[in-house]
Amino acid sequence: MVQSKKQKYTFLAVCLLPTFIMFCIFTLYPLFSGLYYSFFEWSGSSQVKTFIGLDNYIQLFNDVIVPDTIVHDYFLVVTKVIGIMIMAMFFAVALTQLKIKEAPFYRIVFFFPNIMSVVVIGILWMFIYNPTMGLVNSGLEMLGLGDWAKPWLGSETWALPSLVLPSIWAGIGLFMLMLMGGISNISKSYYEAADMDGASEWTKFWKVTLPLVWPQVKISILYIVITTLNGSFVIVQVMTGGGPNNSTHVMGSYLYQQAFVQFNFGYGATIGVMILVLSLITVLLLQFVLRRDKVEY
Amino acid sequence: MKRSVGQILGRAGIRIPLILWSIAVLYPIIWMFIGSLKSNAEIYRNPWGFPEILNWQNYVNAWSNYNIDTSVWNSLIVTLVGTLLTLLMAIPTAYAIERINFKGSKLLFTLYVSAMMIPMVLGWIPLFFLLSNIGLLDNVFGLAIVYSVSQLPFTIFVLTSFMSTIPKSLEEAASIDGMSPYGMLWKIITPLSMSGIITVTIMNAIQFWNEYFMALIFLNSSENYTLALAIDFISNEAQYTNAWGTLFASLIIAIIPVIVLYAIFQRRIAKGMTEGAIKG
């Protein structure tokens, strides 16, 4: 190209610098100063920020609620991965392998909750679980199972499991589409070969579909894990606020509670560092566990 | 090929879960709409049934007594300003990274893309004080800036992959005609990437319209509430005032724009999201 070096670098600067500066101010700087804050005791409103070294981290290790929040986060991760992947895989196979005429209808309907706001989903499901006017309890009564009715979100035992269903409800469509994309790329000849060998649908799934769609499975699992660890607090905040009696607090909602409700900003930042470290470790471990040699037939 | 009885039964069997899940997805949404037309008494008395008279008053109530009108306006501003800012920042960056050879282009791309995996909740505490110091806390424009930067990595990721499909020969020809790189960016690449730009913009708009947690942290006064905060506020109020019909109505108001966008751009949205998800 007939451009001087100077022209090229001015153009690069114009294109890249404003964006990069914004990214530094509103993403990188907050992340790093979050780390920095974790070494201070600070109530925010007062100007006094006291350096306390590792005291926040010592407090973190002695905080009885913290292990629970971690357990809750991973409970959501595991139940969501299992629930979403099994159902999304079933639907994806059904809609691609079997010639179902109304498949586009299911695709459109199942995906719709993925674009709904978590607030709307959370409030809608609060209603569904509502002990007096909700669909779950009144539905159970209509089926003659009135004994099973519970104050779902008000029960320390049932509140956390009750949060899984809305997350699965809202998540399936996206992962079904991702798996469908993978499955539709599989060459028909593999299935024809399997048919010649007289393989059952079940064998075909395990020997052909699953191995060949593994990259999409792996990405989906990683994506569910990352978004759950980084974002499960939104549904928690909307539906239970961490209660009853801390039984649904996850790491993020506990951070919010500490920093923005009780104004322990330094300690909140320490919880944030913990979230960061745990999610990075989890993602690295998962990438190792899910690694599988590329299948070729 | 003749189908065996077993296959036909199997096909019917496979439809049952599909139909059940469609009901599980659609019914709550329809129920929400029916609820928005019921009186409070009816919501209690008959959770599953239809209203005896259509109670449109709930919508009027939500719109004027619970300030949904103001928050719809705020959400619109945040969404519009946020999506425009994101494009303004992301298009030139995506172009430079994708098309211009320079040292560190890979590194810069990796930096942006890896930001998608980092839990930003840690950054929200300092961001709160940063916005407070520059006078943008409790301000919809401040929120729009934060939103737009938060969607930069995703937007840059999608746009670079889009721009990489545009043939390089077009720029070479334009360069021989003496077109400047600025001209190429705005007159060739931007129009040709329009389809990608529209896709990410819809995705970002839906994201900004729906966002709740950053709004919760960065906005304080009710006249600045976005729709997500306003309905959360009504939801908390409803515990005491029993304004359930009003709450249902405001939920419907919140999802109408999303339904309209989805009805028009269903394929684009699905494609954009599945591509965006591959980022991890």
Side-chain angles (χ1 to χ4, degrees), chain B residues 67 70-75 77-78 136-141 143 215-216 218-230:
Chain B
N67 295 330
T70 330
S71 40
V72 166
W73 183 239
N74 289 336
S75 283
I77 295 178
V78 171
L136 286 175
L137 195 67
D138 198 17
N139 180 315
V140 283
F141 293 100
L143 190 65
L216 175 71
F218 301 136
L219 299 176
N220 301 320
S221 33
S222 58
E223 70 265 21
N224 290 331
Y225 278 1
T226 56
L227 204 44
L229 288 186

Side-chain angles (χ1 to χ4, degrees), chain A residues 8 19 102 108 115 138 169, chain B residues 15 24 48 89 101 210 262:
Chain A
K8 179 181 161 186
T19 310
E102 65 278 22
I108 292 170
I115 59 164
S138 56
W169 184 80
Chain B
R15 279 203 167 89
W48 289 75
M89 293 190 285
N101 281 324
N210 284 341
Y262 189 55

Side-chain angles (χ1 to χ4, degrees), chain A residues 260-281:
Chain A
F260 295 98
V261 179
Q262 301 185 2
F263 305 113
N264 295 323
F265 287 100
Y267 190 51
T270 314
I271 300 169
V273 174
M274 177 187 77
I275 298 175
L276 186 83
V277 171
L278 281 178
S279 48
L280 289 181
I281 292 176

Side-chain angles (χ1 to χ4, degrees), chain A residues 188-260:
Chain A
K188 295 273 171 296
S189 58
Y190 297 128
Y191 293 106
E192 280 158 16
D195 279 334
M196 299 251 248
D197 296 342
S200 67
E201 291 294 331
W202 196 240
T203 321
K204 277 194 271 183
F205 173 74
W206 287 107
K207 298 281 175 195
V208 181
T209 312
L210 189 62
L212 287 171
V213 85
W214 191 252
Q216 280 78 14
V217 172
K218 187 180 145 180
I219 288 164
S220 303
I221 294 177
L222 270 173
Y223 192 66
I224 298 171
V225 172
I226 294 172
T227 50
T228 306
L229 289 178
N230 297 358
S232 60
F233 51 88
V234 186
I235 194 94
V236 169
Q237 184 64 34
V238 175
M239 291 184 69
T240 62
N245 195 18
N246 294 330
S247 62
T248 54
H249 254 315
V250 290
M251 299 184 282
S253 63
Y254 192 50
L255 178 151
Y256 174 77
Q257 171 82 19
Q258 285 296 331
F260 295 98

